[in-house]
Amino acid sequence: MELSASSGLWAFVFFCHIGILVSSESFTLKGSDSPVIATVGTDVILPCQLSPRTSAKQMEVRWHSSEIAGLTHHYENGHDALQKQNPHYQGRTELFKEELPNGNVSLLLKKVQVADGGSYVCFIGNKSNYLESLVELKVGAVGTGPTISVHRSQDQGVTLTCSSEGWYPEPAIMWADRHGQRQNSTMLSVKDVQGLHNIQSHVDVKDNKSQVLVCRLQSNFWDQTRQSELQLSSDLFPYDKHPYVVTTVILCLLLVIFGVVTGFIFKTERESKGKLQIAKELLKARNSAVQIRVDPNTAHPNLHISSDCLHVSHSDQKQEVTDTLERFDGWACVLGSETLRAGKEYYWEVYVGNKTDWDLGVTDGKANRKGWQDLKPENGYWGIRFFNSTDYIAFEDPEVKLKLGKQPKVVGIHLDGKAQRLDFYDVSDMSHIYTFSLKFPLDVYPYFCPGLNKNGKNKDPLNLCFLSPDYSDLMSSTSIPSPHISTSELLEGTNRKDVAVEHSNLKNSDDATLPFLHQAPFIQKQEPSPQSVNMHKLCIGS
């Protein structure tokens, strides 16, 4: 009788467990199908609802932005856990605790700032299951009504200045007469400390006939218009009777033109010398070129890896993979399969094309790959990030904002173990991006993050360039700005290395300090796939 009761109890527990598993598979997490719009300085709610309605009080809830490192908000074990919250959001985020029993994990974001705009990931889970949903936040601000001021000029005319402050994004501004006829004007836009645009527009008026001019600002984001108008009269035009005024103006213009042309010549010469120096550095670095391939065993579940391990992209569709210690589960990243040994020299290139977001760099083999830790040297990450289609940062503490002349198509990465430095180059523009100084020698792995898919806006993959044996000569003939200097002259004094020799030295070194990855050999002799050959042409032709 006791055996029967015990068997019945175990059967009850088993079927309850099966019921939980079955019900959990039917859960969905609903964010927002359309972007959430917020005005700078106001509060906004980022919606996220568990369906069917199920209590989330004992679940883990994470919110994070794709644009700002660290967590936006973190809830765990029945209370807020904000130790890893980015200081940018400190004191400005809050969950609706009374709604958690209903599965509502929406986030209240207070006093919205310009930098808050972007994509947010809502994460909810427990020890056995988790769900994610994407919410896009668009931020804007309508500025002040424009004011018009009048300044007399020495050329028998006046200059009208139209000013307005506090716009985001930047509005369109135009001058027109009362009949809608547009006037030629110039515009100056300056961002304040909050990231808002302060606008000024100038128009020169030489005709003294009475007329009305209108300054109009149009925000396409908010579909709103602000305008002011000014009635002109003849007393605003004090004609100068001195005959030498015209001659003086002409001489001044000639001096200005001479100065501009001279400055342009000197600037062009400096840029040409700078590009030539970078070309020399790159040609020397390519002597240590190696073929890097990614390791699928480290890839985040949302990353798709090509069969030849040379192309990686992000997808909204999660793959069924084993969650191991070496696999990323927070940042959507993947490591290269090759160990880059301390004291050695390596060079590789990545074709980023027209992607809107990406991370590239190296990481210590012992660095944590779980969760949303800050990517910085202190945590074992050295790299650069491109995001929002315009912004660049280097993984320093604090982060360093970078200014590039134009968006790179191909990024070259040179790790000089002897000099203990890591250099990033824009190969397509022959320019230097950033250099890290490594404080001590260590073994590292290449690090790649293609960025979130963003509903197809950033769907293109990161492509690891196939560096053929004649790649260095090919690049020297297509990228060096001066045709009067040959590749042999540029390489004078350099020492071409045999990567195969480097590989044999690597095989004899100690692997005991790198617990995560198996040591895959550098692949130098393998024939490239057709896709890699096409990408090789892109890497060179960019």
Side-chain angles (χ1 to χ4, degrees):
M1 192 68 180
E2 293 178 356
L3 180 62
S4 175
S6 176
S7 301
L9 179 60
W10 282 107
F12 174 79
V13 172
F14 174 77
F15 283 111
C16 286
H17 179 66
I18 294 299
I20 291 174
L21 291 179
V22 171
S23 62
S24 68
E25 293 177 354
S26 62
F27 289 162
T28 59
L29 193 62
K30 178 68 172 178
S32 176
D33 294 331
S34 58
V36 177
I37 308 298
T39 303
V40 171
T42 64
D43 298 346
V44 67
I45 296 175
L46 304 181
C48 192
Q49 174 69 51
L50 189 62
S51 179
R53 295 178 180 269
T54 304
S55 177
K57 291 186 66 176
Q58 300 305 318
M59 296 185 180
E60 180 185 10
V61 179
R62 293 199 304 250
W63 280 88
H64 68 88
S65 167
S66 63
E67 316 298 344
I68 300 177
L71 294 176
T72 303
H73 195 90
H74 190 202
Y75 173 92
E76 191 175 25
N77 298 325
H79 61 274
D80 294 324
L82 305 179
Q83 295 83 355
K84 295 184 179 180
Q85 185 184 44
N86 189 295
H88 175 76
Y89 296 102
Q90 189 172 3
R92 299 199 297 122
T93 61
E94 184 177 322
L95 296 178
F96 298 92
K97 302 295 176 57
E98 68 276 9
E99 288 296 319
L100 291 178
N102 299 323
N104 184 356
V105 293
S106 300
L107 182 70
L108 174 63
L109 182 57
K110 303 175 182 178
K111 298 179 180 179
V112 170
Q113 302 176 12
V114 170
D116 292 337
S119 299
Y120 287 79
V121 175
C122 172
F123 170 98
I124 184 171
N126 52 31
K127 293 182 179 180
S128 58
N129 296 284
Y130 70 91
L131 295 169
E132 290 181 344
S133 183
L134 194 66
V135 179
E136 185 176 358
L137 174 63
K138 290 188 175 182
V139 177
V142 177
T144 60
T147 60
I148 300 176
S149 57
V150 181
H151 306 277
R152 291 186 175 92
S153 58
Q154 295 181 356
D155 59 347
Q156 303 180 0
V158 296
T159 298
L160 306 183
T161 300
C162 179
S163 305
S164 182
E165 299 177 348
W167 291 84
Y168 190 85
E170 182 181 285
I173 186 170
M174 62 168 287
W175 288 87
D177 59 22
R178 181 170 286 176
H179 304 291
Q181 183 69 35
R182 298 189 63 166
Q183 309 293 309
N184 293 329
S185 61
T186 59
M187 187 194 77
L188 174 65
S189 175
V190 178
K191 285 187 178 180
D192 62 18
V193 293
Q194 296 179 328
L196 299 176
H197 292 274
N198 297 333
I199 308 295
Q200 278 193 350
S201 180
H202 308 278
V203 62
D204 294 323
V205 182
K206 303 197 186 309
D207 191 347
N208 67 346
K209 67 181 180 181
S210 297
Q211 59 176 317
V212 175
L213 290 182
V214 180
C215 174
R216 181 179 298 116
L217 291 97
Q218 173 72 45
S219 171
N220 295 327
F221 182 83
W222 295 105
D223 194 23
Q224 289 196 22
T225 300
R226 296 284 178 89
Q227 69 178 42
S228 293
E229 63 181 43
L230 177 68
Q231 173 73 55
L232 298 177
S233 58
S234 58
D235 58 346
L236 291 176
F237 300 84
Y239 285 96
D240 195 332
K241 304 300 183 179
H242 298 290
Y244 58 79
V245 170
V246 174
T247 303
T248 303
V249 170
I250 293 176
L251 288 176
C252 290
L253 287 176
L254 291 175
L255 286 175
V256 170
I257 293 173
F258 176 78
V260 170
V261 172
T262 304
F264 177 77
I265 293 174
F266 281 116
K267 179 182 177 182
T268 303
E269 184 177 355
R270 286 196 304 268
E271 290 180 350
S272 178
K273 290 181 179 179
K275 290 183 181 294
L276 183 59
Q277 179 61 35
I278 296 299
K280 291 180 179 180
E281 293 179 12
L282 281 174
L283 286 173
K284 184 176 180 181
R286 289 193 184 104
N287 291 329
S288 54
V290 290
Q291 183 59 58
I292 301 294
R293 296 175 189 269
V294 298
D295 183 359
N297 293 326
T298 67
H300 186 280
N302 281 87
L303 294 187
H304 284 217
I305 310 296
S306 65
S307 59
D308 59 5
C309 296
L310 293 177
H311 315 278
V312 55
S313 60
H314 180 270
S315 171
D316 295 330
Q317 183 67 36
K318 255 188 174 58
Q319 301 182 91
E320 295 294 333
V321 293
T322 304
D323 185 14
T324 60
L325 187 62
E326 63 185 11
R327 187 180 300 281
F328 286 94
D329 66 356
W331 294 107
C333 304
V334 63
L335 299 187
S337 59
E338 295 83 6
T339 308
L340 309 183
R341 296 296 185 182
K344 302 293 183 180
E345 190 173 356
Y346 305 92
Y347 177 82
W348 64 100
E349 294 180 356
V350 182
Y351 180 81
V352 297
N354 295 317
K355 289 181 64 61
T356 64
D357 302 75
W358 47 261
D359 294 1
L360 295 174
V362 300
T363 178
D364 182 359
K366 298 179 181 179
N368 181 26
R369 302 172 199 170
K370 301 299 181 182
W372 301 95
Q373 73 280 358
D374 292 339
L375 303 183
K376 56 185 179 180
E378 180 181 343
N379 294 334
Y381 290 88
W382 296 263
I384 59 174
R385 168 174 294 165
F386 173 57
F387 60 100
N388 287 342
S389 300
T390 56
D391 301 323
Y392 300 85
I393 62 170
F395 293 159
E396 298 280 12
D397 191 13
E399 66 185 29
V400 176
K401 293 185 178 180
L402 307 176
K403 292 184 178 180
L404 277 66
K406 58 182 180 180
Q407 183 175 340
K409 299 295 183 182
V410 179
V411 177
I413 305 169
H414 181 217
L415 175 63
D416 189 342
K418 294 180 181 178
Q420 293 182 203
R421 55 184 283 164
L422 178 66
D423 297 296
F424 293 86
Y425 296 96
D426 178 355
V427 178
S428 46
D429 189 45
M430 282 294 172
S431 59
H432 173 260
I433 297 177
Y434 193 75
T435 293
F436 285 91
S437 295
L438 307 179
K439 296 183 179 179
F440 47 84
L442 75 166
D443 295 349
V444 294
Y445 292 96
Y447 162 85
F448 308 93
C449 178
L452 297 181
N453 183 290
K454 290 189 175 181
N455 297 322
K457 296 178 182 178
N458 190 39
K459 65 180 179 179
D460 293 339
L462 284 178
N463 302 281
L464 281 66
C465 295
F466 188 87
L467 304 181
S468 62
D470 60 345
Y471 187 64
S472 195
D473 294 333
L474 205 54
M475 286 300 295
S476 69
S477 66
T478 58
S479 300
I480 301 176
S482 174
H484 304 293
I485 299 179
S486 66
T487 303
S488 60
E489 291 173 323
L490 290 176
L491 290 175
E492 184 177 355
T494 63
N495 209 1
R496 290 191 175 271
K497 301 176 184 176
D498 188 346
V499 179
V501 174
E502 292 285 344
H503 177 210
S504 67
N505 292 335
L506 294 179
K507 292 175 103 177
N508 297 325
S509 59
D510 184 11
D511 297 341
T513 60
L514 299 162
F516 288 130
L517 291 180
H518 61 280
Q519 308 305 314
F522 290 105
I523 303 173
Q524 297 296 328
K525 300 300 183 182
Q526 181 174 335
E527 291 297 327
S529 65
Q531 184 181 12
S532 299
V533 172
N534 292 333
M535 187 49 57
H536 173 59
K537 295 178 180 177
L538 278 176
C539 291
I540 296 175
S542 62

